[in-house]
Amino acid sequence: MTNTKKFTLTAMFLAILILLASVPFLGFIPIGPINATTMHIPVIIASIILGPKLGGFLGGVFGIISMVRATVIISPTSFLFSPFIPVIGTDQGSWKAIIIAIVPRILIGIVPYFVYKLFRKRAEKSAGAKSIGLFIAGFSGAATNTILVMGGIFLLFKDSYAEAVGIGLETVFSVILGVVFTSGLVEAIVAGFATAAVTAVLLRLTKTNATQKL
């Protein structure tokens, strides 16, 4: 793939991220104290199409968008994603919020590339293997986001999270597991199917264009 095409596709994925973030209930969907999201899907697809470097870059953009959103649109759990929002029970934010907002999102743009790479040789010979590989890559990207975000909340903000959502400390772990296996699982399945459908077409188009140029 030429640098010009990579630049064009990167710009397209950036535009999609901005659009999803700008339209209410499209990029971020409130479900209880935590937002479900569709923002990870273009990052996952970009990871497979453009590679882990540009995928990681777009994941970082997703993370920055979520941090800005948490700062501007205040909710009881905004402090988890923005260092500018005071942590519950204090008068200042925490730099740890940057880790939760940014690191998992960067990895969304890296993990799917390497997962799909495991299926690439078989995928070139079988459409079924390609679909399975793309589904698993999409699923793994979304799962990476959910597990790392919720795991980070448990490790870094357990007490404050419990107070923010009105639960006891002894139930934090089970509540977080509940999020992972409910909305997180749904996000991962949706991402798997979306990745398999959209990425298969984009891979075919980029391959066709490259063949025509040759």
Side-chain angles (χ1 to χ4, degrees):
M1 188 183 298
T2 64
N3 289 334
T4 300
K5 183 164 291 185
K6 282 187 176 183
F7 177 81
T8 302
L9 287 172
T10 302
M12 180 189 75
F13 284 117
L14 272 173
I16 292 171
L17 286 175
I18 293 170
L19 175 64
L20 289 175
S22 302
V23 178
F25 303 105
L26 187 58
F28 295 93
I29 306 165
I31 300 179
I34 296 292
N35 289 313
T37 183
T38 57
M39 296 277 288
H40 57 294
I41 294 176
V43 176
I44 291 168
I45 295 171
S47 173
I48 298 169
I49 298 294
L50 300 173
K53 291 182 180 179
L54 289 174
F57 163 73
L58 290 166
V61 172
F62 168 24
I64 292 170
I65 289 173
S66 68
M67 187 166 63
V68 171
R69 187 177 186 276
T71 305
V72 174
I73 303 175
I74 308 298
S75 74
T77 56
S78 287
F79 68 91
L80 298 171
F81 302 95
S82 172
F84 306 105
I85 303 299
V87 177
I88 297 292
T90 74
D91 60 356
Q92 60 184 6
S94 172
W95 61 269
K96 296 175 184 177
I98 300 174
I99 296 175
I100 294 177
I102 303 293
V103 174
R105 279 60 189 273
I106 291 175
L107 290 173
I108 296 174
I110 297 174
V111 171
Y113 172 83
F114 290 103
V115 171
Y116 182 66
K117 191 175 181 180
L118 298 174
F119 294 85
R120 187 162 293 163
K121 288 184 179 180
R122 292 183 181 180
E124 291 174 354
K125 300 177 182 178
S126 167
K130 176 183 284 187
S131 296
I132 292 171
L134 289 173
F135 177 87
I136 294 174
F139 187 98
S140 67
T144 296
N145 180 51
T146 300
I147 292 170
L148 291 182
V149 167
M150 298 310 298
I153 289 172
F154 180 77
L155 292 174
L156 302 176
F157 290 106
K158 180 173 65 174
D159 294 358
S160 301
Y161 177 73
E163 188 174 346
V165 300
I167 58 176
L169 277 177
E170 68 281 358
T171 62
V172 173
F173 185 69
S174 59
V175 168
I176 284 177
L177 279 183
V179 173
V180 171
F181 286 105
T182 53
S183 62
L185 183 59
V186 171
E187 281 185 9
I189 292 172
V190 170
F193 281 115
T195 300
V198 177
T199 312
V201 174
L202 289 176
L203 286 172
R204 188 163 57 247
L205 288 174
T206 54
K207 186 176 181 180
T208 299
N209 289 340
T211 304
Q212 288 175 346
K213 287 185 178 182
L214 290 174

